[in-house]
Amino acid sequence: MDLKPGKLILFFGLFCFAISLVLVYVLFFVLEEYENGGLLSILLMLIGFFSIGLYLTLHYYKYRIIIGDKSMIIKNEIGTKKEIYWTDIDKVDYNKTFNMIVVLSNKKKNWISPIYGQIVDFIDPKKYSENLKKLIK
């Protein structure tokens, strides 16, 4: 089974790219006064929207969680793979601060976004923490 992000992430990433193109237009053709922080604010917004658009677009095309019989493989945006065997999972927790699901295996933390919450269904319920049990109920 292959878990991947929804199209909404792609559309939001492309929307951020479109905003960055509008900011490039504003930077070169509309902005006349470079004093009072106008240039700096436009540049910071351009960098911010371009970075968000790039991350979300890469996340849509590259990020995958592949569920197998013996393990799950997490491929991130830059192509790095992590394989977690079902028998090696010690505990599954939920971090409220970062709003992430944390899978502890081999004394390493693997952070998974809650949009892939269905991954919890494949893990033994005995390994759930109290925070995660409260969230599921």
Side-chain angles (χ1 to χ4, degrees), residues 31-123:
L31 189 65
E32 295 175 359
E33 295 181 16
Y34 294 110
E35 291 95 26
N36 299 330
L39 177 65
L40 182 63
S41 62
I42 296 291
L43 284 175
L44 289 176
M45 286 191 297
L46 175 65
I47 291 169
F49 278 108
F50 185 79
S51 300
I52 291 169
L54 181 66
Y55 175 77
L56 291 177
T57 306
L58 281 175
H59 186 81
Y60 177 76
Y61 284 112
K62 298 270 186 171
Y63 193 90
R64 298 286 181 267
I65 298 177
I66 302 168
I67 308 276
D69 293 336
K70 297 179 182 179
S71 66
M72 69 175 158
I73 300 171
I74 301 171
K75 295 181 183 177
N76 68 7
E77 294 84 4
I78 57 175
T80 308
K81 289 184 186 181
K82 289 182 187 177
E83 186 168 11
I84 303 171
Y85 292 97
W86 300 118
T87 55
D88 292 344
I89 295 176
D90 301 324
K91 185 178 177 184
V92 181
D93 197 5
Y94 174 72
N95 188 322
K96 290 181 185 178
T97 307
F98 295 110
N99 191 25
M100 299 288 273
I101 296 171
V102 182
V103 178
L104 298 164
S105 65
N106 294 332
K107 299 179 182 176
K108 293 181 183 177
K109 292 183 180 181
N110 298 294
W111 300 77
I112 300 173
S113 174
I115 62 172
Y116 305 103
Q118 63 266 39
I119 197 159
V120 175
D121 298 337
F122 296 98
I123 300 172

